């Protein structure tokens, strides 16, 4: 099976969907001539032309709104944000137009649009460019939200997002674009709303999403050397969320750690814990522990940034804590 980067997996998904359906087009800052801020749209202007690979000014609200209008008349736009931090300026169109148009038009206008771009922290981008937006976006009825952490998942979920008749948020990661993984050459899609069990064990469950899946799998490898076997569940989709898969893993291991990149208060992990207490209360042998970013704007200083981020040592400590091996 070919091994490619996360960036190339996204590029393949975009290319294949634009070849399959001439209503699909991509629009955003530097997606054409510059071939994308992270080169995800490399070569696409040359293949599809400027009518389907559209460079825009630095106007997130404007081109998000143009995308919503295009979706209303039957096109299938893919809107690239250079980072979801910049998409704050476009949230009126994402939340008030894309998410609500189907409801407010009495079902007359579906909005088949994809909003995608990097989410969360990278390295020393500081407070305004390091934020994880998944809990904000997953809070909105009318949006679907996916967060792939591997090249395989990135391609399969982006293809599903393009084919969906609802607005879909695709949360990528700057630190993921160069990561590599196996991606089939054959056609495939990954259904939105289904989680994936990435590692099987019977002592504890780590439930996570996005780039934190890489940390969770490293933790599983290291814990195995100590005789601790963990389930690693990758949610993949945050809205809708696969509650059945969450319940299945927790009922199997009776202990859970929820690992996320965002802040603690009202984070995605809080929703996962709510599902666990509703579905698995009598199956728990210990309180669920969450691992998340420190409750501060992301520091710029390297040592403070490292201290603020969720990481491998914090995840391993959390697993040992729910197993009563550490305080």
């Amino acid at each position: 099976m070919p091994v490619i980067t996360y960036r190339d997996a996204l590029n393949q998904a975009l290319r294949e969907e634009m070849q399959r359906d001439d209503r699909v087009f991509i629009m955003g800052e530097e997606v054409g001539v510059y071939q994308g801020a992270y080169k995800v749209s490399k070569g696409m202007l040359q293949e599809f032309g400027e009518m389907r690979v559209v460079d825009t000014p630095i106007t997130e609200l404007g081109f998000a709104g143009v995308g919503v209008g295009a979706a209303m008349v039957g096109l299938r736009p893919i809107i690239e944000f250079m980072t979801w931090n910049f998409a704050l300026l476009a949230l009126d169109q994402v939340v008030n137009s894309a998410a609500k148009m189907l409801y407010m038009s009495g079902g007359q206008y579906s909005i088949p649009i994809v909003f995608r771009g990097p989410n969360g922290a990278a390295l020393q981008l500081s407070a305004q460019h390091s934020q994880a937006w998944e809990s904000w976006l997953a809070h909105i009825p009318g949006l679907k939200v996916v967060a792939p952490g591997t090249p395989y998942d990135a391609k399969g979920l982006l293809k599903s997002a393009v084919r969906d008749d609802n607005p879909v948020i695709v949360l990528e990661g700057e630190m993921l674009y160069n990561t590599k993984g196996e991606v089939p050459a054959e056609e495939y899609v990954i259904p939105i709303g289904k989680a994936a069990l990435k590692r099987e064990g019977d002592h504890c469950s780590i439930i996570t999403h996005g780039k934190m899946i890489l940390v969770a799998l490293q933790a599983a490898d290291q814990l195995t050397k100590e005789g601790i076997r963990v389930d690693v569940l990758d949610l993949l989709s945050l809205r809708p969320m696969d509650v059945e898969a969450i319940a299945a893993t927790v009922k199997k291991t009776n202990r859970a750690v929820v690992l996320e990149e965002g802040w603690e208060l009202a984070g995605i992990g809080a929703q996962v814990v709510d599902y666990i207490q509703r579905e698995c209360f009598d199956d728990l042998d210990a309180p669920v522990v969450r691992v998340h970013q420190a409750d501060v704007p992301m520091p710029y200083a390297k040592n403070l940034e490292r201290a603020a981020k969720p990481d491998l040592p914090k995840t391993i400590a959390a697993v040992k804590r729910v197993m009563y091996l550490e305080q």
Side-chain angles (χ1 to χ4, degrees):
M1 187 181 298
V3 175
I4 64 174
T5 64
Y6 189 97
R7 170 189 293 106
D8 289 340
L10 291 168
N11 181 278
Q12 283 188 7
L14 294 173
R15 192 181 300 276
E16 290 175 11
E17 290 307 297
M18 290 178 70
Q19 290 169 344
R20 183 187 61 83
D21 186 342
D22 63 9
R23 297 172 300 171
V24 179
F25 71 97
I26 183 169
M27 180 164 56
E29 297 154 355
E30 299 183 342
V31 299
V33 175
Y34 192 70
Q35 306 190 91
Y38 299 97
K39 306 305 178 191
V40 171
S41 54
K42 184 178 181 180
M44 300 188 69
L45 178 64
Q46 291 74 15
E47 179 172 351
F48 297 102
E50 61 185 13
M51 291 296 290
R52 298 184 66 197
V53 182
V54 183
D55 273 327
T56 70
I58 304 174
T59 53
E60 283 80 5
L61 178 64
F63 64 77
V66 170
V68 172
M72 288 179 69
V73 296
L75 300 178
R76 305 186 81 88
I78 301 167
I79 303 300
E80 176 176 306
F81 294 123
M82 200 175 290
T83 154
W84 274 96
N85 294 287
F86 299 165
L88 275 184
L89 298 165
L91 281 186
D92 183 47
Q93 287 298 332
V94 175
V95 174
N96 275 331
S97 295
K100 295 183 174 65
M101 192 58 66
L102 179 67
Y103 299 86
M104 294 180 69
S105 68
Q108 294 183 79
Y109 293 105
S110 60
I111 307 294
I113 188 170
V114 174
F115 298 102
R116 49 159 292 269
N119 174 61
L123 294 175
Q124 289 191 282
L125 297 181
S126 195
Q128 294 173 317
H129 289 180
S130 301
Q131 298 164 108
W133 295 102
E134 51 263 49
S135 64
W136 297 58
L137 295 160
H139 189 62
I140 307 300
L143 298 179
K144 295 183 178 181
V145 181
V146 300
T150 68
Y152 176 86
D153 295 328
K155 182 176 180 181
L157 281 171
L158 180 53
K159 288 170 73 73
S160 289
V162 173
R163 299 179 191 189
D164 202 290
D165 286 333
N166 299 283
V168 182
I169 307 293
V170 180
L171 301 171
E172 302 162 8
E174 288 179 50
M175 301 301 290
L176 291 174
Y177 288 126
N178 283 331
T179 59
K180 293 183 177 180
E182 292 185 338
V183 176
E186 300 79 24
E187 163 76 11
Y188 73 97
V189 295
I190 296 175
I192 294 172
K194 291 294 182 183
L197 190 62
K198 297 287 180 71
R199 191 67 55 85
E200 290 199 51
D202 52 5
H203 290 149
C204 178
S205 301
I206 301 176
I207 301 168
T208 190
H209 64 274
K211 70 167 72 81
M212 288 295 107
I213 184 62
L214 306 183
V215 175
L217 292 172
Q218 290 174 2
D221 290 340
Q222 195 153 322
L223 288 163
T224 298
K225 297 173 184 174
E226 301 179 40
I228 300 171
R229 300 179 298 274
V230 299
D231 259 12
V232 176
L233 183 69
D234 188 346
L235 292 171
L236 295 178
S237 174
L238 305 178
R239 187 185 183 97
M241 195 178 288
D242 191 346
V243 180
E244 188 175 326
I246 294 170
T249 184
V250 176
K251 288 181 178 180
K252 173 185 171 187
T253 67
N254 310 113
R255 302 171 195 272
V257 168
V258 183
L259 168 62
E260 64 182 309
E261 192 178 4
W263 290 302
E264 177 183 20
L265 193 67
I268 286 293
Q271 186 59 51
V272 174
V273 174
D274 176 66
Y275 287 138
I276 291 173
Q277 66 85 21
R278 275 194 264 170
E279 301 291 329
C280 315
F281 184 79
D282 291 332
D283 298 285
L284 288 172
D285 286 343
V288 180
V289 172
R290 293 176 60 196
V291 181
H292 45 74
Q293 184 187 320
D295 192 25
V296 293
M298 186 64 76
Y300 176 75
K302 190 176 293 185
N303 61 328
L304 295 178
E305 182 187 50
R306 190 181 303 120
K309 287 179 175 177
D311 60 12
L312 180 60
K314 292 170 187 169
T315 305
I316 289 175
V319 171
K320 292 183 176 179
R321 184 176 164 198
V322 298
M323 295 184 66
Y324 298 117
L325 297 174
E326 288 183 1
Q327 293 299 316

